[in-house]
Amino acid sequence: MAHDFSDKDLAAIEATTLEVGRYIFEHRANIRPSVLERRWWDDHIMSWAMQDESVKVQMFRFVDVLPMLKDSASVTRHLHEYFHDVRQHLPMAVRLGLAVATPDSLAGRALAIAARRNATGQARRFIAGANTSEVLAAAMRERKLRRAFTLDLLGEAVTSQREAESYLQAYVNLITGIAPTVNAWPEVPQIDRAELPELPRVNVSIKLSALDSQFDGIDPQGSAQRVSARLRTLLRTAQKHRAFVNVDMESYACKDLTLAIFKQILLEEEFRDLVDVGIVIQCYLRDAEADLHGLLDWARQRRRPVWVRLVKGAYWDYETVHSQAQGWPVPVFQEKWQSDANFEKLSRLVFANHEHLRPALGSHNVRSLAHGVALARHLGLPPGSFELQMLYGMGDQEKQVLADMGHRVRIYMPFGELIPGMAYLVRRLLENTSNDSFLKASFTDRIPPEVLLMNPHEVAARERDSRRLATLPRAPAVVPAANPFQQTFFNEPATDFAVEANRGAMHDALAAVRDELGRHYPLVIGPREADTSERMPSVDPSQKQRVVGTFAVAGVEQANDAVAAAKAAQPAWHALGVEARAEYLRAAASQMRDRRFELAAWQVYECGKGWREADGDVCEAIDFCEYYAQQAVALMGPHGVDVPGEENRFYYLPRGVAVVIAPWNFPLAILTGMTAAALVTGNTVVMKPSEQSSIVAAKLMEIFRALDVPPGVLNYLPGKGEVVGAALVEHPDTALIAFTGSRAVGLAINARAAEVSAAGDVVKRVIAEMGGKNAILVDDDADLDEAVLAVVRSAFGYQGQKCSACSRAIVLDSVYDTFLERLVEATKSLQVGPAEDPGASVGPVIDEESLVRVQRYIDLGKREGRMALAVDIGELSQKGYYVGPHIFADVPRASRLAQEEIFGPVLAVLRARDFSEGIALVNGTDYALTAGVFSRSPANLARAKVEIMVGNLYLNRGITGALVGRQPFGGFKMSGIGSKAGGPDYLSQFVIPRTVTENTMRRGFAPAAGELDATADERG
Ligand SMILES: Cc1cc2nc3c(=O)[nH]c(=O)nc-3n(C[C@H](O)[C@H](O)[C@H](O)COP(=O)(O)OP(=O)(O)OC[C@H]3O[C@@H](n4cnc5c(N)ncnc54)[C@H](O)[C@@H]3O)c2cc1C
């Protein structure tokens, strides 16, 4: 075990590490590339690009898009677009070349050819070939140098089960195709023999997420089942052809699931004795040590060894940025020395237990590798008992020295087509040019070997010292300009359902809520609960026989009572002051946090929301409370400009009684948002939730009542829209109506509210969020992996029942067919099922009426377009209101399918001749809510920002899931009246601005500005 190493052992290992490291450096120096080799030129071009960060970014982005560019004109156009802004940093020759090379000119064509040749050349450096014969030749070359190989088939992101199946098949073909040849090659004992009598020569590395398009930690059983079925086929093929299978490790979200599947399958009878398998542990993860101990315990129980490849990890930037954006704990170490130290610590653990876990070290860092070699020597292990693994095209000099030392060096050889190849190339370029990279430090930065060989703990001490020095007083540094867009509000982090404890909490909440189903919920008017003669059931759309609860149905009389109660409570509520009201909102947010799983569970049952969607809704409700609390305090205080002799006060008053009419699709968030905005600004509220989500609304009422909000400040009035909703809207004492829902109802409310009755004395304010007919435009250079997944998620997430949902995909002609085919397959792979099931990515629509309406549009689609996909839901139709995702292709732009809001899982795909026509199509409806663009042309993205006329435009990402504060949400044209929810000016719609000017001069004497008391109204 790692802790079995005494201090004396560690000192001896350290001394050998330095000795081995120095040996590698000395011998490596003899193998410098000569000026006659291509590698020398590649390195020089790279180091030129590395000198300027802006050039580097543009260069990598250009390399990334290049394979998608069909002709020279497009390549030249992109070159101009990428390098125009950084041209002053380019060498003169390149600058001149760009200046004369217009897209259609001869010079342009020559430039495009040169750019493609260079990028392909770079790719060849890291990618062993495009097909098996090229890769076999590369493998043979390595063998001649006494180096083994493992093959990694580069693939596009797997977006459908068909792609997952063909990915598996490609691996099966690879093994069966090369095994006879490779196994017939003459033996090279240094790499073919291990401690074991013989080691498979054919060796493949595979990523498990590529075996299932729905691979997701939220549903470990379902994912494991699908992956295991394919992995079994692979393992059987490998056994039959004597091949080794290594499971690579991907992003953190996949880690637990990958480890679980690996362990589970190798305990199956058929694979219990398998030893030619391995898995990766990423030492940059804080969890890595615990995972390795888990693996060791498992291997001991299994009594057969497996290989463990220790690496630091390839996704450091992504993990850091992604977890910060989500508000989750960062899973990777934040200081490089920590990853290095952990690599060594875990090396000791693996080497000390090599009879259970066979060590393979995947690194290009001479120190990390030398430490492994030293460990083996210290433990008296023969070189064949462990492996040193390195990537194709990287660290070639070290590889040769280590092979010459008699070690088994295995080369990780990716191979495949240019498109996935470029993504891999960019990852390698980024890694090689990262400031923390060993290779950059040793080659480009020329840091001396004694520094590079330093023990990571010594490095830490040095860094601490230099930080101390940095804090000593010195000349004032240039203070960077403040970022005006800096984040000041932080969103509630979504639940990470890849974490087992969170899944457990959700299962528990679902069970607890199940026990509570069927209860009755009376109205709340003023201080009392009130029942009515009519009750309405709210049913579970996933299982229509199940009654979630019943609620009292309010009529006109109760509407009058509620408005009266709200009116009576309003002056005192206002007098309380903004700070106190904001405190109520914060307390409500806190209650929601405590009850988050339960509140999400209610939504699963009442609205057919999947786990993530329901959890997101609770987070958004919390955000609204916190955000509006923060905003209101800033807004409601007195503002003004005083001059001597004159005091000016500008401040806001509440409008009075607010009626909140909310929809069912974000049953807690939207209701909470509108209610919180009205309350915190001093209005009192009558909540009229949707009939389909009145139980979730009752939970919100419960929360505010538990906080002892004064009676009448908030009233709960469920009922039928046309009765109680209409009565509330028309009531002369209603000052404001905050509505979210359909266009038809929104416009009707607006019209009604404009009619001033004899009894009323205000023009009612209407804030209405209405529908959308949102589009995603896919350019001809788009990353199709990302575009397909984003369209699927935006169109079919919550069954397309979000106002922001994508209901039109507008695709440029040249990528239309490819995109459509992948889109259809990806959608086909979605699982339709009850919202309660975490594996279901598509649940039911909200009710019977909605089902019938969506089906009518499907019938229409068959006439107006070409049905490209209709997902069959089988027997589910008996259980609930299910309708499978539908895709219609070649939909004409003026058709009803392309113009009307459907609010269901129906997507229209339209063809655009070029980007200009695409923009015209995006804009070509009555709505202006959300839209998206997938493009890698900086010029087209810039055009989209200016020309696409919607409230929320998203570039190169999905179009749903706006976050409070970060993406204030709302549209214009027929999509809404008023400003954006979750934005800086939303609250101003709930208040009346006033200005008071006082002449403070008395007989020539005036107090100093600001000395007079604030008036009572300035309480806010
Ligand atoms: C044969 C082989 C197979 C591999 N397979 C996988 C795999 O399946 N999954 C996988 O994720 N990776 C894998 N890798 C690792 C990965 O691709 C990188 O090659 C590796 O992380 C680079 O580490 P290094 O030891 O060569 O270089 P070094 O330069 O010593 O280390 C660089 C690494 O340190 C870490 N790091 C950088 N900055 C910081 C910081 N500020 N704080 C903390 N840590 C930091 C990162 O992991 C970074 O990649 C594999 C590598 C090899 C050689």
Side-chain angles (χ1 to χ4, degrees):
M1 302 282 289
H3 52 259
D4 289 337
F5 291 99
S6 66
D7 286 350
K8 204 169 136 209
D9 291 331
L10 292 176
I13 293 166
E14 182 63 25
T16 316
T17 301
L18 296 180
E19 189 189 311
V20 174
R22 279 187 209 113
Y23 179 90
I24 298 173
F25 272 115
E26 276 159 26
H27 288 75
R28 179 181 97 158
N30 302 333
I31 327 172
R32 284 212 171 282
S34 91
V35 71
L36 297 175
E37 285 180 50
R38 203 190 68 223
R39 190 150 49 95
W40 187 91
W41 289 98
D42 288 345
D43 287 344
H44 279 68
I45 290 170
M46 287 291 290
S47 61
W48 156 71
M50 274 352 101
Q51 281 161 21
D52 193 288
E53 191 63 24
S54 59
V55 175
K56 171 176 146 179
V57 168
Q58 295 306 76
M59 183 163 123
F60 291 177
R61 288 186 164 194
F62 175 73
V63 168
D64 180 47
V65 69
L66 192 60
M68 279 297 283
L69 307 180
K70 300 273 183 307
D71 52 40
S72 300
S74 177
V75 174
T76 315
R77 178 169 65 83
H78 280 77
L79 272 170
H80 276 282
E81 290 179 16
Y82 276 94
F83 293 103
H84 182 269
D85 288 347
V86 296
R87 62 190 183 286
Q88 69 277 20
H89 303 291
L90 299 174
M92 181 59 84
V94 181
R95 226 183 304 168
L96 290 176
L98 265 178
V100 293
T102 52
D104 293 322
S105 66
L106 258 181
R109 228 165 297 155
L111 185 68
I113 291 167
R116 224 188 267 279
R117 195 181 332 109
N118 275 335
T120 316
Q122 284 285 349
R124 285 218 185 91
R125 212 178 135 178
F126 298 108
I127 300 169
N131 50 44
T132 38
S133 59
E134 284 179 19
V135 101
L136 264 182
M140 190 54 161
R141 280 196 299 277
E142 294 295 344
R143 260 181 98 75
K144 285 196 176 133
L145 297 167
R146 283 166 289 116
R147 306 196 302 216
F149 66 87
T150 180
L151 300 180
D152 161 51
L153 176 55
L154 294 170
E156 288 162 292
V158 166
T159 59
S160 66
Q161 297 302 12
R162 191 167 89 175
E163 287 175 3
E165 196 55 45
S166 53
Y167 194 68
L168 165 71
Q169 207 46 53
Y171 264 95
V172 168
N173 294 346
L174 172 70
I175 294 173
T176 48
I178 66 168
T181 313
V182 174
N183 290 337
W185 283 342
E187 190 186 62
V188 181
Q190 183 176 336
I191 54 176
D192 293 337
R193 298 205 164 268
E195 257 187 333
L196 310 161
E198 203 184 340
L199 208 57
R201 293 180 196 176
V202 175
N203 185 313
V204 295
S205 290
I206 188 160
K207 294 174 180 54
L208 293 193
S209 76
L211 295 182
D212 174 26
S213 67
Q214 308 302 305
F215 192 87
D216 189 342
I218 200 170
D219 177 27
Q221 280 84 17
S223 302
Q225 219 170 31
R226 291 184 296 269
V227 169
S228 303
R230 295 195 173 113
L231 190 55
R232 279 185 204 106
T233 307
L234 184 70
L235 291 177
R236 277 177 205 134
T237 311
Q239 273 180 313
K240 189 164 162 207
H241 295 275
R242 186 104 185 82
F244 184 103
V245 176
N246 194 82
V247 172
D248 283 357
M249 202 54 85
E250 306 170 65
S251 62
Y252 186 62
C254 301
K255 190 252 304 169
D256 284 350
L257 193 48
T258 302
L259 276 168
I261 294 171
F262 181 81
K263 290 181 191 169
Q264 208 173 309
I265 205 161
L266 290 179
L267 287 178
E268 290 176 8
E269 203 47 45
E270 189 181 355
F271 305 114
R272 253 200 106 88
D273 290 332
L274 200 58
V275 291
D276 297 328
V277 279
I279 190 153
V280 173
I281 292 284
Q282 297 156 313
C283 300
Y284 66 4
L285 290 180
R286 297 174 198 276
D287 292 356
E289 188 173 351
D291 288 338
L292 193 58
H293 277 290
L295 205 58
L296 180 56
D297 292 345
W298 166 87
R300 281 200 183 110
Q301 266 178 3
R302 185 172 173 258
R303 294 173 189 207
R304 302 290 283 153
V306 293
W307 287 81
V308 171
R309 181 199 298 156
L310 290 182
V311 301
K312 280 164 209 161
Y315 309 87
W316 187 86
D317 292 87
Y318 168 79
E319 301 295 5
T320 303
V321 172
H322 177 68
S323 53
Q324 281 170 350
Q326 296 287 325
W328 293 344
V330 180
V332 291
F333 290 116
Q334 288 300 287
E335 293 188 57
K336 168 71 165 54
W337 71 266
Q338 295 174 303
S339 296
D340 291 337
N342 206 35
F343 187 91
E344 295 189 7
K345 185 176 185 190
L346 301 192
S347 297
R348 292 194 285 274
L349 181 59
V350 177
F351 273 87
N353 292 284
H354 66 101
E355 68 279 19
H356 304 293
L357 302 177
R358 305 235 181 261
L361 303 181
S363 174
H364 308 106
N365 183 320
V366 174
R367 160 84 207 186
S368 307
L369 294 169
H371 175 263
V373 172
L375 262 173
R377 286 190 191 166
H378 184 82
L379 294 168
L381 300 178
S385 59
F386 65 99
E387 291 199 348
L388 304 173
Q389 303 188 345
M390 294 166 121
L391 302 181
Y392 183 80
M394 284 169 66
D396 285 341
Q397 289 137 310
E398 287 83 359
K399 283 173 192 161
Q400 204 167 319
V401 178
L402 288 162
D404 290 347
M405 286 165 74
H407 293 294
R408 185 167 60 252
V409 176
R410 187 174 299 281
I411 312 302
Y412 187 98
M413 283 189 175
F415 76 105
E417 296 301 328
L418 203 57
I419 292 182
M422 282 300 165
Y424 177 80
L425 169 64
V426 170
R427 279 205 301 279
R428 289 290 76 83
L429 293 177
L430 280 170
E431 184 173 315
N432 282 338
T433 57
S434 139
N435 283 338
D436 274 321
S437 150
F438 178 89
L439 287 179
K440 178 168 182 279
S442 74
F443 286 107
T444 317
D445 303 346
R446 306 223 177 273
I447 306 223
E450 57 272 26
V451 176
L452 294 170
L453 286 177
M454 234 181 233
N455 184 314
H457 293 285
E458 256 178 80
V459 174
R462 253 170 72 118
E463 284 177 5
R464 271 195 297 272
D465 282 347
S466 64
R467 270 200 294 267
R468 251 200 310 275
L469 281 176
T471 56
L472 293 176
R474 50 175 151 153
V478 179
V479 181
N483 175 3
F485 301 116
Q486 202 120 33
Q487 194 174 1
T488 53
F489 169 79
F490 293 89
N491 300 92
E492 186 66 18
T495 298
D496 181 358
F497 285 110
V499 175
E500 196 178 351
N502 291 338
R503 292 195 300 275
M506 190 66 193
H507 278 299
D508 291 348
L510 286 165
V513 166
R514 237 181 348 253
D515 289 342
E516 297 246 326
L517 297 182
R519 268 180 51 197
H520 177 67
Y521 297 84
L523 316 176
V524 180
I525 299 174
R528 63 192 169 84
E529 294 187 344
D531 231 328
T532 54
S533 53
E534 193 183 348
R535 289 181 170 202
M536 216 189 246
S538 182
V539 301
D540 178 354
S542 301
Q543 205 175 312
K544 55 192 175 191
Q545 305 305 335
R546 181 149 68 189
V547 174
V548 178
T550 57
F551 55 90
V553 177
V556 176
E557 188 189 330
Q558 290 78 23
N560 291 337
D561 290 350
V563 173
K567 189 177 177 187
Q570 200 271 327
W573 179 241
H574 173 215
L576 212 52
V578 67
E579 278 291 359
R581 293 194 303 268
E583 211 36 61
Y584 274 109
L585 260 56
R586 293 192 195 102
S590 163
Q591 287 232 0
M592 289 178 197
R593 254 179 227 115
D594 293 346
R595 295 174 60 176
R596 65 182 294 166
F597 290 106
E598 180 219 330
L599 291 169
W602 280 108
Q603 302 191 28
V604 169
Y605 288 122
E606 192 175 28
C607 301
K609 282 210 143 194
W611 288 23
R612 274 205 187 98
E613 304 280 356
D615 177 69
D617 185 81
V618 179
C619 289
E620 195 178 354
I622 295 170
D623 284 349
F624 277 131
C625 291
E626 295 282 4
Y627 182 76
Y628 291 147
Q630 192 188 79
Q631 294 278 313
V633 172
L635 178 81
M636 302 291 282
H639 312 263
V641 177
D642 292 347
V643 294
E646 182 184 285
E647 201 177 78
N648 295 297
R649 286 291 174 271
F650 171 78
Y651 48 87
Y652 293 102
L653 293 180
R655 288 182 177 271
V657 174
V659 166
V660 168
I661 304 179
W664 47 264
N665 63 340
F666 288 89
L668 188 66
I670 295 183
L671 180 69
T672 303
M674 295 191 291
T675 302
L679 289 179
V680 78
T681 43
N683 304 282
T684 48
V685 173
V686 180
M687 292 196 296
K688 160 40 196 118
S690 158
E691 291 98 300
Q692 291 87 342
S693 59
S694 292
I695 310 301
V696 171
K699 300 292 153 191
L700 180 63
M701 190 68 223
E702 218 170 83
I703 286 171
F704 274 100
R705 290 187 94 197
L707 297 174
D708 285 333
V709 170
V713 166
L714 182 61
N715 304 276
Y716 166 68
L717 215 66
K720 294 178 188 141
E722 55 281 17
V723 181
V724 70
L728 291 170
V729 168
E730 285 164 16
H731 199 289
D733 287 333
T734 296
L736 177 147
I737 300 135
F739 166 81
T740 303
S742 70
R743 167 182 172 173
V745 178
L747 293 179
I749 289 177
N750 196 41
R752 277 283 171 81
E755 294 162 14
V756 182
S757 77
D761 61 358
V762 289
V763 179
K764 290 171 186 156
R765 178 74 192 241
V766 176
I767 303 156
E769 294 281 341
M770 302 186 291
K773 187 68 190 173
N774 315 306
I776 293 182
L777 172 59
V778 182
D779 201 355
D780 57 6
D781 65 353
D783 181 328
L784 292 190
D785 286 355
E786 288 185 3
V788 165
L789 290 172
V791 170
V792 170
R793 268 198 289 270
S794 303
F796 303 115
Y798 192 37
Q799 297 77 264
Q801 301 176 112
K802 301 180 190 178
C803 356
S804 55
C806 170
S807 63
R808 295 178 299 149
I810 298 167
V811 188
L812 259 65
D813 197 38
S814 64
V815 288
Y816 184 92
D817 294 332
T818 316
F819 178 83
L820 182 63
E821 192 190 333
R822 293 190 72 191
L823 176 74
V824 164
E825 284 305 322
T827 309
K828 224 186 258 179
S829 308
L830 299 177
Q831 208 173 308
V832 184
E836 210 175 339
D837 173 2
S841 31
V842 179
V845 294
I846 191 71
D847 59 11
E848 178 87 41
E849 196 185 322
S850 183
L851 183 71
V852 170
R853 197 193 60 251
V854 172
Q855 275 163 345
R856 242 187 269 129
Y857 275 106
I858 290 171
D859 291 339
L860 181 71
K862 289 178 194 162
R863 296 195 296 277
E864 289 188 332
R866 172 170 64 84
M867 192 160 78
L869 176 71
V871 173
D872 181 31
I873 50 156
E875 291 183 351
L876 279 172
S877 60
Q878 311 296 316
K879 298 202 172 102
Y881 306 118
Y882 293 93
V883 52
H886 281 66
I887 297 176
F888 291 94
D890 308 335
V891 175
R893 61 162 70 187
S895 63
R896 285 181 58 203
L897 205 68
Q899 291 293 325
E900 293 177 14
E901 187 176 44
I902 301 174
F903 233 60
V906 179
L907 176 70
V909 185
L910 288 77
R911 194 187 288 264
R913 205 174 40 249
D914 53 27
F915 198 72
S916 299
E917 189 184 43
I919 290 184
L921 289 172
V922 173
N923 287 336
T925 73
D926 294 345
Y927 295 98
L929 189 51
T930 66
V933 177
F934 275 85
S935 174
R936 283 181 284 190
S937 155
N940 284 353
L941 291 172
R943 267 191 77 186
K945 284 182 196 170
V946 175
E947 295 178 30
I948 292 186
M949 282 296 135
V950 291
N952 286 64
L953 175 64
Y954 298 92
L955 305 179
N956 289 321
R957 53 153 281 177
I959 63 172
T960 57
L963 290 175
V964 171
R966 258 159 72 180
Q967 293 108 15
F969 183 77
F972 49 96
K973 283 166 75 179
M974 285 300 145
S975 293
I977 311 163
S979 191
K980 286 164 167 293
D985 48 6
Y986 185 69
L987 291 186
S988 62
Q989 305 171 110
F990 291 78
V991 288
I992 298 165
R994 286 187 78 216
T995 305
V996 174
T997 300
E998 182 177 356
N999 172 10
T1000 56
M1001 185 81 85
R1002 297 278 190 280
R1003 304 208 178 279
F1005 166 74
E1011 241 176 37
L1012 286 183
D1013 244 8
T1015 63
D1017 278 334
E1018 289 167 10
R1019 286 178 306 247

